[in-house]
Amino acid sequence: MTLFGCSFSFQSNQYSAIKGLLDREVNKGPQSNWLLTWSGYQIPMMAVLVENETWFMAPKDVLVRFDGWQITEVNNLLPANTSVRIQFADKEMVIFEGRRNISSFTCKEWQKHKYELGINHLQSCSRGNLVFDNSIWVNNNGSISKMAFKVHPNYPEVTLELLNQYSLN
């Protein structure tokens, strides 16, 4: 610090130690508890409850909104930071880029399939020759452990998987 041509500094071992601890905690920040996999990329995501939805967020404004059964929006993940919105009405899934309807699919009712670690909910959707399944895996504790959804007709599915789901804490 400089004061009218004089220079001095403040040094305290206690201050440095506490500041170091605080900096470490601040830089640690919220921890990612989900992993998003898409088109060869893996992005750690943090799940946050917002009203009646779960928002999966990551740096660079990547956002995936999930309403409990469907991914309803994806921002800043697809090429050119394309944002998509997915709406469901009856058995129709409609995908929007901005305000433009880019595709629609007919989807069947969700089907439950038991597997060793819980239940897999599958929803088959199609349009012409394009057929895909949206999936939600629920573990034996009743919590969603993984989900995979088609969010754009021209790109692979988005997969979100709970991290450390098998750790013993």
Side-chain angles (χ1 to χ4, degrees), residues 14-162:
Q14 290 175 330
Y15 172 77
S16 297
I18 291 171
K19 184 175 181 323
L21 288 173
L22 289 174
D23 286 346
R24 224 174 318 165
E25 286 302 310
V26 168
N27 289 337
K28 195 161 110 177
Q31 298 298 302
S32 300
N33 49 355
W34 289 80
L35 183 67
L36 182 145
T37 304
W38 176 79
S39 193
Y41 296 99
Q42 291 191 323
I43 303 170
M45 304 288 283
M46 182 177 57
V48 177
L49 294 176
V50 178
E51 295 181 10
N52 59 347
E53 294 184 323
T54 302
W55 291 16
F56 297 92
M57 301 183 302
K60 299 191 180 181
D61 297 326
V62 173
L63 171 68
V64 176
R65 291 174 62 174
F66 177 69
D67 71 2
W69 281 104
Q70 304 288 345
I71 287 180
T72 60
E73 188 173 337
V74 177
N75 292 315
N76 300 312
L77 176 67
L78 304 176
N81 292 328
T82 301
S83 292
V84 294
R85 202 169 25 88
I86 299 102
Q87 292 182 344
F88 280 83
D90 296 322
K91 295 180 182 181
E92 185 179 28
M93 172 183 172
V94 182
I95 301 174
F96 294 88
E97 270 185 18
R99 294 181 180 175
R100 189 170 60 101
N101 174 340
I102 61 165
S103 193
S104 60
F105 300 91
T106 301
C107 297
K108 296 181 181 177
E109 295 292 324
W110 287 94
Q111 301 295 312
K112 287 168 72 168
H113 302 276
K114 290 188 178 193
Y115 73 110
E116 183 180 334
L117 300 174
I119 296 172
N120 181 13
H121 296 270
L122 280 173
Q123 180 187 47
S124 295
C125 300
S126 63
R127 184 192 78 225
N129 292 335
L130 182 56
V131 178
F132 60 90
D133 290 330
N134 291 327
S135 301
I136 302 172
W137 288 264
V138 178
N139 64 26
N140 287 322
N141 296 329
S143 298
I144 294 174
S145 58
K146 183 178 179 180
M147 60 183 89
F149 285 88
K150 186 80 163 170
V151 298
H152 196 288
N154 300 332
Y155 300 110
E157 69 185 11
V158 169
T159 301
L160 284 155
E161 187 165 10
L162 183 62

